[in-house]
């Protein structure tokens, strides 16, 4: 892998041809200096509040399957949630489901600006540069963000296994949804368990929509991608889904 | 002025409080190395094909009037038009109105990527960082791009004096239009002589729309802002228009 560390962001397989570009904003539960653990105990730092368990492994396996670069975070989303703009309370949440985040209880404007400059700006600048370079070279990148969600939320079990979420342009999400239903036995749903109304499409809105790029957000229930073997198996299934969905979409748009 | 040169971009008055942020993508007709004059004669390099005459002077006067930063280009739009994405033919046009651009006749993908990396990526990264910092500090920036157009286009005179152009959110443009008609004698029109359909709202779409920022593009007929005195006088009128439009819009949105 031609990894390149750029502080707040790692791009794995930067030179991979694409056109797919995978993004994992909630890849890790690392709490680097100067922020540290935000006053959280080990159990909370390990929980889905701090990251999307399994998402990085799945995203890596998908990127390998589809010869695509992967742009991923290097810090917990509780320090800065890269899928939120700087003015969103959710960027540095004081609460997440059942957890309070002591280190986020009273973030001053200056501290908010410092986290934004250290983490959000370089992450999205690196992703933007990668997409812009592909566009300049005549490749239309396809942006796929990879997330996971917890099987139980506020005490209620979730039946959905694969959530397929879109921003302004639903075309790729709808094609992925059709293929997921046709090819996999997964309980697949459009815009569940979250949707753009929950602010979860910020990366898509920021990076794909203004460029007219096809895009989709994938949300996997994390019990289905708990270890490397499960992630690899899921990547094989979802890789085929993505490949077929893009081909079907291209065919349909050519015919239109 | 706390000018800061950052290669492809200059931010004038970076520390100015705003909330307005002015942008001038077509500020100058400079042809820096390694691109040089693109084979153009002096008359073409001086013409509106190469830049927006008067726009920088007007934008500077508006920024001073409204205590706002100004983000401006340092090169001719014929080398890279910062108001176009990297895959747009218009980013490095082979033709502009009546002019052919020899140096753009056959831009290779690698050369297109090099111009994108040298000019487009840093310009928009700097603007994004400025907006993100304001958002982190609790200020909602208002993005205003400042352009000029030629009084004669393909031989036909243009009657419009002030064009007010919007991207997805028309609210500020409509408020500016109402105030321009109420306060100035200018022949003001909405989405003339260009509109989003002509691809001219790329900066707004890229920088303002994903963040939900109020935004508008101002297009002045360049004979009305031909010298410093005219630019200063126009800035006084348009500064009042912008200030009132934002206040009216805030009042209306508060009432809604």
């Amino acid at each position: 892998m031609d990894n390149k560390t750029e502080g707040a962001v790692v791009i794995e397989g930067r030179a991979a041809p694409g056109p797919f570009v995978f993004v994992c904003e909630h890849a890790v539960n690392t709490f680097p200096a100067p922020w540290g653990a935000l006053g959280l105990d080990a159990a909370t730092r390990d929980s889905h509040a701090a990251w999307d368990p399994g998402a990085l492994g799945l995203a890596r396996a998908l990127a390998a399957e589809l010869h695509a670069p992967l742009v991923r975070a290097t810090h917990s989303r509780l320090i800065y949630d890269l899928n939120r703009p700087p003015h969103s309370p959710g960027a540095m949440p004081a609460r997440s489901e059942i957890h309070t985040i002591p280190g986020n209880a009273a973030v001053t404007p200056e501290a908010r600006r410092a986290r934004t400059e250290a983490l959000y700006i370089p992450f999205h600048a690196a992703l933007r540069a990668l997409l812009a370079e592909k566009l300049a070279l005549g490749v239309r990148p396809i942006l796929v963000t990879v997330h996971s969600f917890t099987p139980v939320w506020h005490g209620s079990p979730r039946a959905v296994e694969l959530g397929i979420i879109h921003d302004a342009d639903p075309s790729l999400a709808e094609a992925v949804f059709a293929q997921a239903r046709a090819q996999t036995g997964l309980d697949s749903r459009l815009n569940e368990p979250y949707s753009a109304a929950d602010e979860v499409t910020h990366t898509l809105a920021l990076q794909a929509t203004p460029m007219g790029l096809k895009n989709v957000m994938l949300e996997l229930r994390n019990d289905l991608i708990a270890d490397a073997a499960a992630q690899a198996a899921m990547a094989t299934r979802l890789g085929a889904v993505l490949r077929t969905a893009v081909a079907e979409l291209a065919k349909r748009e050519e015919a239109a």
Side-chain angles (χ1 to χ4, degrees), chain A residues 21-229:
Chain A
V21 172
F22 291 92
V23 172
C24 200
E25 304 100 321
H26 303 157
V28 297
N29 60 342
T30 307
F31 289 81
W35 305 285
L38 303 176
L40 299 167
D41 59 26
T44 306
R45 295 201 304 274
D46 239 27
S47 79
H48 70 90
W51 63 319
D52 284 357
L56 177 58
L58 174 62
R60 274 190 179 138
L62 273 168
E65 186 86 17
L66 295 171
H67 312 293
L70 165 63
V71 181
R72 70 161 177 91
T74 61
H75 65 274
S76 168
R77 66 166 158 199
L78 294 178
I79 298 177
Y80 192 113
D81 183 336
L82 297 165
N83 198 24
R84 297 288 186 285
H87 53 296
S88 165
M92 301 158 214
R95 246 195 110 65
S96 174
E97 200 198 8
I98 53 173
H99 309 280
T100 58
I101 322 297
N104 290 349
V107 182
T108 64
E110 195 39 63
R112 179 169 283 267
R113 182 171 82 147
R115 289 196 206 178
T116 299
E117 281 184 2
L119 302 171
Y120 174 86
I121 290 175
F123 182 88
H124 282 290
L127 175 53
R128 162 68 37 81
L130 176 67
L131 298 174
E133 283 164 35
K134 285 192 179 284
L135 284 167
L137 289 170
V139 175
R140 292 293 287 244
I142 298 163
L143 188 65
V144 181
T145 61
V146 180
H147 291 252
S148 75
F149 60 93
T150 178
V152 177
W153 178 249
H154 283 295
S156 304
R158 282 161 159 167
V160 51
E161 295 176 314
L162 168 62
I164 301 157
I165 294 141
H166 64 75
D167 188 54
D169 172 6
S171 60
L172 180 58
E174 287 169 355
V176 168
F177 180 53
Q179 292 303 322
R181 294 213 294 185
Q183 294 184 33
T184 74
L186 294 168
D187 183 335
S188 306
R189 313 214 189 153
L190 211 50
N191 298 316
E192 286 189 38
Y194 310 109
S195 78
D198 303 301
E199 286 202 298
V200 299
T201 58
H202 178 63
T203 295
L204 303 183
L206 188 71
Q207 299 282 359
T209 300
M211 298 296 198
L213 306 183
K214 295 296 180 197
N215 65 89
V216 65
M217 176 179 182
L218 300 180
E219 279 273 9
L220 273 292
R221 209 176 64 201
N222 69 31
D223 58 309
L224 303 176
I225 50 170
D227 59 33

Side-chain angles (χ1 to χ4, degrees), chain A residues 4-23:
Chain A
K4 189 176 166 198
T5 303
E6 297 173 354
V9 53
V10 169
I11 303 185
E12 299 181 358
R14 199 186 200 294
F20 286 98
V21 172
F22 291 92
V23 172

